[in-house]
Amino acid sequence: EAQVTQNPRYLITVTGKKLTVTCSQNMNHEYMSWYRQDPGLGLRQIYYSMNVEVTDKGDVPEGYKVSRKEKRNFPLILESPSPNQTSLYFCASSPGSEPTDTQYFGPGTRLTVL
Amino acid sequence: AQSVTQLDSQVPVFEEAPVELRCNYSSSVSVYLFWYVQYPNQGLQLLLKYLSGSTLVESINGFEAEFNKSQTSFHLRKPSVHISDTAEYFCAVSLTHAGGTSYGKLTFGQGTILTVHP
């Protein structure tokens, strides 16, 4: 089944404890992206990748890192999480190298930082 | 820099009434424009998009949006809504190079919750 998977789906952690949220797609998509969704603020793009080894900042990259070593995986790393990073996170991918095609979204990861 | 403003955070409407969800963007260069929909407890789905050509674009479920460059708007409309249209709707913009390819960054608006009442 064609899909975008994220792990974990739910995570409660403490301030400063490094964590990684994994994202994997099995559709051979070029474009991948991470978003956070907060009430009243909509979706905000954290980082995106138009191809392997090519990543760039979205609107809210502070406090996050990403890497795209292989086409299928795009992990999101929080080196030192803080409470303001408590949010619902979505990974997405699309076939071309631009976000002009339909984006396929993962199920979301709900992160709470205490 | 690019930004998107959705002028209404919530729009309540009765079934079979028309609806318009407003979206304005800010950009000094050419743009691609999108509307996404998020049904309750689901992920986002692309509803329709404007890349080039006709300024009026349509979705398969009766929504349409018109790109208005002079007013920097991309409002979403439907002449007659159904209960099943209840969802949150997001407008998004991506800047493009002079040659027509996207920079890759996608900026979303704050979202408009459309609630259709019987």
Side-chain angles (χ1 to χ4, degrees):
Chain A
E1 181 189 353
Q3 60 184 344
V4 177
T5 56
Q6 294 178 227
N7 282 293
R9 293 288 312 281
Y10 303 89
L11 179 60
I12 301 175
T13 189
V14 296
T15 299
K17 186 175 181 183
K18 181 179 178 180
L19 66 91
T20 298
V21 183
T22 64
C23 173
S24 183
Q25 50 92 4
N26 61 1
M27 297 169 280
N28 202 37
H29 284 175
E30 299 286 342
Y31 185 92
M32 296 187 75
S33 181
W34 274 102
Y35 303 91
R36 59 177 291 174
Q37 185 174 19
D38 303 287
L41 297 177
L43 242 69
R44 292 179 292 169
Q45 191 177 46
I46 303 171
Y47 271 94
Y48 63 93
S49 170
M50 300 176 81
N51 211 331
V52 176
E53 300 291 1
V54 178
T55 63
D56 210 342
K57 297 177 181 178
D59 287 318
V60 289
E62 297 79 17
Y64 304 94
K65 287 175 58 176
V66 293
S67 68
R68 186 94 182 272
K69 293 187 172 66
E70 48 189 343
K71 186 180 274 192
R72 64 182 293 128
N73 295 323
F74 193 44
L76 180 70
I77 303 157
L78 286 73
E79 295 270 2
S80 182
S82 62
N84 64 11
Q85 293 179 297
T86 292
S87 186
L88 178 59
Y89 291 86
F90 288 102
C91 179
S93 70
S94 61
S97 60
E98 305 172 53
T100 51
D101 295 317
T102 297
Q103 288 197 67
Y104 293 76
F105 283 80
T109 294
R110 190 167 291 280
L111 173 65
T112 302
V113 183
L114 302 174
Chain B
Q2 62 200 64
S3 67
V4 177
T5 302
Q6 291 183 241
L7 297 159
D8 307 293
S9 58
Q10 297 193 51
V11 173
V13 66
F14 287 107
E15 194 172 19
E16 297 184 7
V19 70
E20 178 179 79
L21 307 183
R22 296 179 293 169
C23 172
N24 284 92
Y25 68 92
S26 174
S27 171
S28 57
V29 300
S30 297
V31 296
Y32 293 147
L33 292 159
F34 309 84
W35 275 99
Y36 278 81
V37 58
Q38 186 176 32
Y39 297 104
N41 299 313
Q42 294 186 29
L44 272 75
Q45 304 171 35
L46 180 64
L47 188 60
L48 47 75
K49 62 186 177 184
Y50 169 78
L51 303 182
S52 65
S54 172
T55 57
L56 184 67
V57 291
E58 298 176 353
S59 72
I60 58 173
N61 58 352
F63 283 93
E64 64 179 30
E66 185 158 22
F67 169 52
N68 188 319
K69 188 174 182 178
S70 63
Q71 298 188 8
T72 60
S73 68
F74 192 54
H75 301 331
L76 182 70
R77 302 184 183 95
K78 188 170 186 180
S80 176
V81 294
H82 302 289
I83 298 285
S84 59
D85 293 323
T86 294
E88 189 163 15
Y89 292 79
F90 294 94
C91 182
V93 63
S94 180
L95 303 187
T96 68
H97 298 278
T101 56
S102 167
Y103 279 95
K105 184 176 170 184
L106 192 60
T107 296
F108 283 81
Q110 301 91 329
T112 297
I113 297 173
L114 173 65
T115 304
V116 181
H117 298 283

